[in-house]
Amino acid sequence: DAGVIQSPRHEVTEMGQEVTLRCKPISGHDYLFWYRQTMMRGLELLIYFNNNVPIDDSGMPEDRFSAKMPNASFSTLKIQPSEPRDSAVYFCASSHNRVWAGELFFGEGSRLTVL
Amino acid sequence: TQLLEQSPQFLSIQEGENLTVYCNSSSVFSSLQWYRQEPGEGPVLLVTVVTGGEVKKLKRLTFQFGDARKDSSLHITAAQPGDTGLYLCAGVEYGNKLVFGAGTILRVKS
């Protein structure tokens, strides 16, 4: 079984550029989550979707961040314009119901460096 | 301030030693999970505990959920280099989101 698939694995960009991170969740999972991990702040929930609908985006840092889930098998996290403080590892995770009691399956992450 | 405090932050031990890492909070959780994350990978669930006082064993790993459902511990017996990684606890407050602790970095030297 394929796990959660994220791309790109690594992205280096310059301040001001647009960044798009992509995620394919595990087939059949109802929930999709975007997390950001840094040394300073650990794992932070940015946004999560249920059946392709955004449920809680209170963790999105600011308007520069946006996320979409056009269908059950694809989601994007976009940063425009990017800033050096956005440098982090961004994880996508999916889960099958019982959202806050079930297991989260994480992708391998996208490491973003903004110069 | 982290909702979940993990200690120690970093632990370096020799192969064969025992260790315990802790996850503490002033909040009550409906359930608590432990994940392990290896470099360059995402966290992987080890266990979920849901009942106060519950003890679960996974080979050499023993997980305990506090009676008051505010804390948890992970004990590893006879640590091996393959146990090296970042150990994260994550708690679910009643009706709220899953919140992760900052993690304990474990290094087991051979």
Side-chain angles (χ1 to χ4, degrees), chain B residues 27-90:
Chain B
S27 298
V28 176
F29 296 101
S30 59
S31 65
L32 195 139
Q33 300 176 341
W34 284 92
Y35 289 80
R36 179 169 68 207
Q37 183 178 13
E38 298 186 24
E41 299 183 7
V44 176
L45 181 69
L46 296 174
V47 77
T48 300
V49 285
V50 296
T51 305
E54 182 176 2
V55 176
K56 279 192 174 179
K57 292 193 174 184
L58 184 66
K59 297 183 180 178
R60 293 176 293 101
L61 278 61
T62 302
F63 304 85
Q64 185 162 8
F65 199 14
D67 291 339
R69 311 166 73 98
K70 294 182 178 181
D71 56 88
S72 182
S73 64
L74 159 59
H75 181 79
I76 301 179
T77 303
Q80 298 178 0
D83 296 326
T84 293
L86 173 67
Y87 288 81
L88 296 158
C89 67

Side-chain angles (χ1 to χ4, degrees), chain A residues 1 6 11 17 23 32-33 43 59 62 64-65 69 71 73 79 87 92 99-102 107 111:
Chain A
D1 266 351
Q6 292 187 245
E11 173 102 7
Q17 296 298 305
C23 175
L32 183 140
F33 306 81
L43 263 172
E62 48 198 275
R64 298 184 296 106
F65 285 69
M69 192 166 185
N71 57 63
S73 59
I79 308 172
S87 297
C92 176
V99 58
W100 296 123
R111 180 176 294 275

Side-chain angles (χ1 to χ4, degrees), chain A residues 6-23:
Chain A
Q6 292 187 245
S7 64
R9 289 296 311 277
H10 302 273
E11 173 102 7
V12 180
T13 190
E14 292 188 344
M15 182 173 63
Q17 296 298 305
E18 178 179 294
V19 173
T20 299
L21 307 179
R22 298 172 178 80
C23 175

Side-chain angles (χ1 to χ4, degrees), chain A residues 11-98:
Chain A
E11 173 102 7
V12 180
T13 190
E14 292 188 344
M15 182 173 63
Q17 296 298 305
E18 178 179 294
V19 173
T20 299
L21 307 179
R22 298 172 178 80
C23 175
K24 177 179 169 56
I26 294 173
S27 177
H29 281 191
D30 308 293
Y31 292 87
L32 183 140
F33 306 81
W34 282 101
Y35 281 87
R36 177 172 69 176
Q37 186 175 42
T38 61
M39 288 294 293
M40 291 295 295
R41 302 173 70 92
L43 263 172
E44 302 174 279
L45 177 66
L46 300 177
I47 185 172
Y48 80 94
F49 296 82
N50 177 215
N51 291 323
N52 314 339
V53 176
I55 302 301
D56 186 344
D57 66 354
S58 59
M60 296 285 260
E62 48 198 275
D63 291 346
R64 298 184 296 106
F65 285 69
S66 62
K68 293 182 180 180
M69 192 166 185
N71 57 63
S73 59
F74 183 66
S75 177
T76 60
L77 177 67
K78 187 173 293 186
I79 308 172
Q80 166 63 16
S82 59
E83 297 182 3
R85 61 191 167 125
D86 301 330
S87 297
V89 181
Y90 290 81
F91 286 100
C92 176
S94 69
S95 179
H96 178 55
N97 64 33
R98 296 183 68 218

